[in-house]
Amino acid sequence: MSDFDSLAAATQAARTVRPTGVERSFGQDEVIVTKTDLKGRITYANDVFCRVSAIEEGELLGRPHSIIRHPEMPKAVFQLLWDTLKDRRELFAYVVNLAGDGAHYWVLAHVTPSIGPNGEVLGYHSNRRLPDPRAIREIEPIYRSLIAEERRHGRAADAARAGCDLLHQMLAERSTDYDRFVWSLTNGAAA
């Protein structure tokens, strides 16, 4: 289990928030911004993030970013995210988050490593924008399939691996990869 998985598991165990099924939105001109350290602990959260997540800044700083992880979000997408960041590359991803009051909200996330003056990775920076509802309608059934596959496995690492295998298979059937697929949804035409 990676450090990030350990943090996520600890966060899930410590949280008692249950999804209410209420969807929250935010303005098209708003940007949710967070920064984390190398372990994924929040070092900065803007006011939009605090409002939409229904969690005050004081409760966020120092906590793992997975504090907002929705149980219907596939492990495979987070595995892809961390694998991409370890390669010092950025990733765009559709993500559903769980707010502190049980509401959920979809974002189009852009996550990138924060590089220091000597070329070292200092942490991670994430901007999230309001996604197009058409893109969410395309991604939801894919994520449901990934979750169903992941729930067939007891260990988190096995679940993430099985989800990743299925995600790559689904993308291969579309002759695309995750980056191109996300951009095809963002531009309004699925790959």
Side-chain angles (χ1 to χ4, degrees), residues 26-95:
F26 55 101
Q28 286 188 337
D29 59 341
E30 292 185 302
V31 180
I32 294 173
V33 180
T34 53
K35 295 178 184 178
T36 68
D37 64 14
L38 293 173
K39 297 277 188 182
R41 292 179 295 238
I42 298 171
T43 58
Y44 171 80
N46 74 347
D47 59 339
V48 180
F49 180 85
C50 294
R51 188 188 77 239
V52 175
S53 69
I55 305 174
E56 293 184 21
E57 183 181 25
E59 297 176 72
L60 290 167
L61 298 180
R63 303 282 301 275
H65 206 286
S66 55
I67 192 171
I68 58 167
R69 186 171 293 183
H70 195 288
E72 296 301 318
M73 190 62 208
K75 291 175 177 38
V77 176
F78 291 110
Q79 185 69 52
L80 177 64
L81 170 69
W82 289 116
D83 289 348
T84 302
L85 292 174
K86 282 180 187 173
D87 288 344
R88 302 168 66 99
R89 295 181 293 122
E90 64 184 0
L91 184 77
F92 289 84
Y94 287 100
V95 177

Side-chain angles (χ1 to χ4, degrees), residues 144-153 158-159 162-164 166:
R144 278 195 299 270
S145 295
L146 296 177
I147 289 284
E149 177 61 24
E150 290 174 357
R151 287 183 177 158
R152 295 178 58 237
H153 303 271
D158 294 341
C164 286
L166 180 57

Side-chain angles (χ1 to χ4, degrees), residues 82-148:
W82 289 116
D83 289 348
T84 302
L85 292 174
K86 282 180 187 173
D87 288 344
R88 302 168 66 99
R89 295 181 293 122
E90 64 184 0
L91 184 77
F92 289 84
Y94 287 100
V95 177
V96 62
N97 291 317
L98 180 63
D101 60 1
H104 66 275
Y105 58 97
W106 280 94
V107 298
L108 173 58
H110 173 218
V111 188
T112 184
S114 299
I115 308 296
N118 297 319
E120 73 277 24
V121 176
L122 302 174
Y124 306 102
H125 184 120
S126 178
N127 294 327
R128 277 91 77 198
R129 297 185 183 279
L130 187 67
D132 186 320
R134 293 174 300 173
I136 300 309
R137 285 194 296 273
E138 291 282 337
I139 205 81
E140 278 184 312
I142 293 169
Y143 283 7
R144 278 195 299 270
S145 295
L146 296 177
I147 289 284

